[in-house]
Structures are given as structure tokens and as C-alpha cells.
């Protein structure tokens, strides 16, 4: 993947409206950092569960209970949506969106630097293999194309409006515009809404190879999902994002306004200054000491841009050099080492230990000072990423932005920070909290929304939420005193079984890691092969000699199946079918006590064998004749009578 994660910026942004209220779909410069840099640490995706023993990463984080009342109580309905994936493992965060009637599910990258939402279309001539099947317009009874008119770019047949997006890392997306019902999940108070989106016909570069299906555009512009919902009057003109911390992932998103939080730090965001979400950054401090930079260094070109789709932070050369030198000068006890990828000159240090909560004892605190004098404190996890090859080593997640004078702040800067994009009041707020646990706080006091039957087509297990919480426990219920003996699920791979056989062991290990169970608990129960397609049925069994899972363990495994199950790209296109919980098998007395019987028989056999050996040697014992010198007289022995 390309090292340059930052988007291409353009000085002129054309935002034309169609006669029907639909924006011009010509190419608009979107921020485009959604891929992993070469020096990124490749870590296993891990969501934070409620019973985890992880400690808070920073003392300045606020308890979840303090934020709940502010996330609810706004007069307008909000869409509460869970975030999936991990910033460094995947290079982005995704959320689930359902489009059409009946609904078709998609995993979309949450991107505040993009102005259009798009998914692969069934008519796509050049689309990669992504997480979910392509959108089928013909199977949605509520889909309608956006018809061609003089205010939009039309397809070659002059029938339908089109869109096109090109990005700095040489990737692109283009297709037609359509309108359909979008659902934001059963946990949202916001009911399904009709909205315009892009139906992809061609995608190139990283967009072609990424696992996520498409983009959810939250930027400023009439095609943005935010602008459309605000124009309909169903939400207020604000949204919030909260990204999980280092090694944890997950998080939450709220479309709509929230009440102001105590001691939230704000910066003005001027929509006239830049088409992107910007802040007024005036100063950087390391360990309380200013870098002494001219504030204008952060105000060149597009100024300081905050982009949820970019992984790292990128500074103009002068600011980067000053910050790098100030941080490294404080690391006397650490050893400078090479980065994980020899193709890049990452700034890395070893000897800091593996406990993220202790990093502040070694690495300095960085402060961002805004134009109004308010300050946002950055803990080490807000500017470091783990070294993927050296235990206890970390690398600087802030880079020089080439020759571009724009300051671009990606997701790493706002780990474990609730960021509110208050577009109505032209400001952006920052509030330190534990983002991986925030979803639970959102749901515990949220207004429940009955799920329309047409918006739950995942399985026949009934009552399942399309978007489970990070812990996944409060939304999956087991009837009565139901005991789970095993969990099964189907998997479809576009590969012949003969080609798959050599990789079954590796695939079993991958499933074990994804579901966080021991590999010995994963068994291939059955398979069916036809041509280049193989259906596999997998079973997850209790650990050791246990007959059943605890309900907590079973629900955690199910939430991982629903949430972030991923296979490497070398397995090609795949789909997960329905999962099912099954009771323990009814076993006979012999099956229940098989190990005891085997042990008893083994003891009896060993004792019998030992007794036989003793008897044999006693029966055939050999008399030992004392040594006599050659020629010594031997006493005569009397012959026995015949």
C-alpha cells in the first residue's frame, strides 16, 4: 500500500446543486488517506470487552457515566452507530449501513474527508472482493436512479447522474448516483431515511484491494450523508466520532447533536477557510515547553485539517523537525532502532515496555494550543504506534507532509478522544474518554428502536441486532436456561476444495485467532465443494473436557463472528453464513465417563503387565554359579534315578 496517507487537496471546490436538490457529481477533491503505510505495525484486531482487565490509558480520561447524559437528551433523534476495525491494522474504522428494501448490509469507512457515500454496484465492471456482496439495485423495491439533467454529469446514455472521486494515492472511484432507503441500525433512534449514494462501476488502487466495501462520506457538501440528513431536518447539524486506543480498536459514532460536555476543549472551524474540517492550531508544546514556531506555519494552504480517514499526522517541514527533535531529546533512556519496514526511515525507540498505560513515564506529553487559548493534551498513544517486530518498541506516528504546507491530523491524534464536529456553530470539540467503552454508555441510556422486520435479514435466530456493541453481550440473548454445547457457522470460499486442503490447518488457526479461542476448539465439521466454490461448516467447541460454554463466553464468540471476523486477502472473496448455537450432545453413561473408564482400564492393564513380568522372571530365574579357577576340583554330583 502507498506510504502517503494524506489526501490530495485542491484550492477550488465546485459544489453545484442539481435542479432536484442533488449536487453536481463531478470530481470533488476528497481527503484520501485510508491505507496502511509501510512502516505501520501490523497488530491483531482486538475489541475491548466489558470484563477486560485493561487499565485506563490516561488519568485525564473521563468515566463513561459522566458522558451518558450528554449523549442523550438532544431534542433531535440521533443515529448511534458502532465503529469496527482498528486504525493501524486496517488503516481505517468502519461502520455498518443498510441500504435498500429488503436491506443490504455494507461495511463503510468512516471518512470526514470525503463528501459522498458509495458502495460497489452489481453492474461494476472493475471492483475488488470486499467484505460484503455488491449492492443489487434490482432487488430493492425502493431504489431509484438519479435521472440525468443539465446540472449534473451524466452517463454516456444521458440517463443517469454520475460521480467520480480521485485520490492522492492513485486510487479512484466512479459510478452512478442512486437514491434508496438507508438504515443506521437497531440501536439508533434515527429511523431509516431515503438518501442519495454512489453505486460504483469502477474502482482502482487501494479502493480496489481494501477489505471494506466503500466509503461513508461525512464531509461538507450536498452529497454528504450529513448534509442530506440535516436538510431533511431529521438530525441537527453535528456529528461525533470516538476512536479506540492503541491495541484496542472499536469505538462509537453519533450522527446528530449532543449536549455540551464539561471541560470539552473547542477550536473554531471555519468552513470558508477550507472545504475540509479545520481547526485553529497556533502552537505545539512538548513537556510544557513551546516549540517557538510562528503560528502561520499551521495556517498555510488549507490550514490545519482534521480527517478521520487519515491514519497518522503530517506536519509542514519546519514544524515536523522541531517536534521530532523536541520529543527525541527527552528519550535518554531509550535506544534508537530501525523501523519495521526497511523501505522507510521511521523514527523508533526500544525499551519502553509493553504496558501502554506506563508510556507517559518515558515519552513526553505534547500539547496543541488553539487560537482561543484552549489546549488539547496528547498522551504518547496519540503520536506513537507499536513497532511490529520489536517487543516494547514504538515509532513516531507523525511525519513530514512532503512539500505540502498543509497540517493534516489523522485518527492517531484523537485516539480515546470524543471529537464533536459541531458544524452548526462552526467549532470542533475534543473530550478525553475511553472510546472502546463509550458504546456501552451510549446504549445503556439510549431510546430503544423497534427493528422493522425488513431491516433484519441476517439470520433466522431472531432478535439479533444488526450492529452489536463492542462487548456484544447485551444484545444477544439465549432462551431460558439454554446451554451451548457448540457454535457452528458456514463459510463460503471461492476456491476449490483441492486447492484449499493444504491450507486447512492455517485457516483453522486464523479462525481461532479471530474468535480468540484455542485452535483445538475449532473443528471443520463438514464441507461441500462444487467447481471453484467450497462451503465449509465450522464448529467451535468448549475448551478442554468441558461440555458447555458459559453464556458469557458463547456470547463473546458470537459478537466476534458478527463484529470483526476477517480473513487475509490471499483467501480471496469469502462470505460468512448463518451462525447457530447448539445444545450439548446427549451422551450415554459410557460417553460421559469415557476418560475415567479409559484410565481405569489403563491402570488394570499396566498392573497386569507388571504382574506378568514378575511371574515370568521368577519362573525362569537363572541360577548364578560361583566362579571357580580352571582345574579346581569339582565335587561329584549324584545322577538322579531314571
Amino acid at each position: 500500500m502507498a506510504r502517503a496517507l494524506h489526501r490530495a487537496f485542491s484550492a477550488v471546490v465546485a459544489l453545484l446543486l442539481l435542479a432536484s436538490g442533488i449536487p453536481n457529481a463531478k470530481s470533488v477533491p476528497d481527503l484520501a488517506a485510508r491505507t496502511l503505510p509501510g512502516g505501520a505495525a501490523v497488530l491483531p484486531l482486538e475489541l475491548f470487552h466489558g470484563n477486560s482487565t485493561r487499565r485506563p490509558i490516561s488519568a485525564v480520561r473521563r468515566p463513561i457515566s459522566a458522558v451518558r447524559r450528554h449523549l442523550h437528551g438532544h431534542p433531535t433523534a440521533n443515529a448511534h452507530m458502532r465503529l469496527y476495525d482498528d486504525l493501524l491494522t486496517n488503516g481505517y474504522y468502519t461502520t455498518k449501513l443498510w441500504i435498500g428494501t429488503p436491506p443490504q448490509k455494507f461495511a463503510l469507512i468512516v471518512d470526514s474527508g470525503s463528501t459522498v457515500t458509495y458502495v460497489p454496484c452489481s453492474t461494476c465492471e472493475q471492483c475488488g472482493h470486499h467484505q460484503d456482496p455488491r449492492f443489487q439495485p434490482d432487488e430493492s423495491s425502493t431504489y431509484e436512479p438519479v435521472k440525468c439533467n443539465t446540472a449534473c454529469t451524466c452517463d454516456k446514455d444521458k440517463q443517469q447522474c454520475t460521480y467520480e472521486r480521485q485520490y492522492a494515492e492513485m486510487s479512484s472511484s466512479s459510478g452512478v448516483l442512486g437514491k434508496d432507503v438507508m438504515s443506521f441500525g437497531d440501536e439508533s433512534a434515527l429511523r431509516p431515511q431515503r438518501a442519495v449514494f454512489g453505486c460504483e462501476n469502477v474502482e482502482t488502487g487501494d479502493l480496489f484491494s481494501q477489505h471494506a466495501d466503500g466509503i461513508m462520506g461525512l464531509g461538507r457538501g450536498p452529497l454528504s450523508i450529513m448534509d442530506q440528513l440535516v436538510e431533511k431536518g431529521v438530525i441537527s447539524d453535528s456529528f461525533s466520532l470516538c476512536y479506540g486506543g492503541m491495541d484496542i480498536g472499536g469505538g462509537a459514532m453519533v450522527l446528530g447533536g449532543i449536549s455540551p460536555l464539561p471541560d470539552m476543549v473547542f477550536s473554531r472551524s471555519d468552513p470558508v477557510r477550507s472545504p475540509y474540517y479545520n481547526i485553529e492550531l497556533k502552537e505545539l508544546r512538548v513537556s510544557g515547553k513551546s516549540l517557538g514556531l510562528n503560528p502561520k506555519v499551521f495556517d498555510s494552504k488549507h490550514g490545519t485539517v482534521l480527517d478521520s480517514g487519515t491514519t497518522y499526522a503530517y506536519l509542514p517541514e519546519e514544524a515536523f523537525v522541531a517536534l521530532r527533535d523536541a520529543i527525541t531529546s527527552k528519550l535518554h533512556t531509550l535506544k534508537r532502532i530501525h523501523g519495521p519496514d526497511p523501505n522507510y526511515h521511521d523514527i523508533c525507540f526500544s525499551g519502553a515496555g509493553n504496558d501502554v498505560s506506563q508510556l507517559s513515564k518515558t515519552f513526553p506529553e505534547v500539547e496543541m494550543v488553539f487560537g482561543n487559548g484552549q489546549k488539547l493534551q496528547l498522551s504518547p498513544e496519540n503520536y506513537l504506534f507499536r513497532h511490529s517486530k520489536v517487543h516494547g518498541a514504538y515509532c513516531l506516528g507523525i511525519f513530514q507532509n512532503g512539500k505540502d504546507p498543509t497540517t493534516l491530523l489523522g485518527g492517531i491524534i484523537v485516539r480515546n478522544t470524543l471529537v464533536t464536529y459541531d458544524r452548526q456553530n462552526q467549532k470542533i470539540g475534543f473530550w478525553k474518554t475511553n472510546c472502546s467503552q463509550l458504546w456501552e454508555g451510549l446504549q445503556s441510556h439510549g431510546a430503544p428502536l423497534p427493528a422493522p422486520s425488513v431491516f433484519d435479514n441476517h439470520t433466522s435466530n431472531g432478535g439479533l441486532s444488526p450492529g452489536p456493541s463492542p462487548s456484544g453481550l447485551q444484545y444477544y440473548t439465549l432462551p431460558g436456561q439454554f446451554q451451548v454445547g457448540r457454535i457452528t457457522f458456514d463459510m463460503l470460499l471461492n476456491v476449490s476444495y483441492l486447492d484449499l486442503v493444504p491450507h486447512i490447518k492455517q485457516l483453522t488457526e486464523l479462525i481461532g485467532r479471530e474468535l480468540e479461542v484455542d485452535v483445538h476448539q475449532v473443528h471443520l465439521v463438514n464441507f461441500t465443494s462444487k467447481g471453484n466454490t467450497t462451503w465449509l461448516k465450522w464448529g467451535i467447541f468448549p475448551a478442554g473436557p468441558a461440555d458447555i460454554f458459559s453464556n458469557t463466553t458463547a456470547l463473546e464468540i458470537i459478537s466476534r463472528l458478527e463484529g470483526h471476523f476477517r480473513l487475509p486477502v490471499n483467501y480471496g472473496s469469502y462470505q460468512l453464513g448463518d451462525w447457530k448455537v447448539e445444545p450439548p450432545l446427549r451422551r450415554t453413561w459410557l460417553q460421559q465417563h469415557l476418560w475415567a473408564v479409559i484410565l481405569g482400564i489403563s491402570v488394570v492393564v499396566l498392573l497386569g503387565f507388571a504382574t506378568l513380568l514378575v511371574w515370568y522372571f521368577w519362573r525362569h530365574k537363572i541360577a548364578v554359579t560361583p566362579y571357580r579357577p580352571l582345574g579346581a576340583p569339582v565335587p561329584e554330583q549324584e545322577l538322579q534315578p531314571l
Side-chain angles (χ1 to χ4, degrees), residues 351-362:
N354 206 46
D355 190 344
V356 177
S357 67
Q358 301 300 310
L359 290 182
S360 58
K361 295 181 179 180
T362 307

Side-chain angles (χ1 to χ4, degrees), residues 66-85:
V67 73
R68 288 174 180 162
R69 64 181 179 273
H70 298 276
L71 296 176
H72 305 282
H74 197 278
T76 323
N78 290 340
H80 296 164
M81 304 175 73
R82 179 189 170 186
L83 298 183
Y84 299 85
D85 301 312

Side-chain angles (χ1 to χ4, degrees), residues 22 65 513 527 629:
I22 306 303
S65 58
R513 285 200 297 269
F527 73 91

Side-chain angles (χ1 to χ4, degrees), residues 2 22 29 79 97 128 176 190 254 364 419 438 473 486 535 540 552 580:
I22 306 303
L97 192 69
V176 296
L190 180 62
V254 178
V419 182
L438 181 61
L473 304 185
R486 72 172 180 176
W535 272 103
I540 311 300
T552 299
K580 184 168 65 174

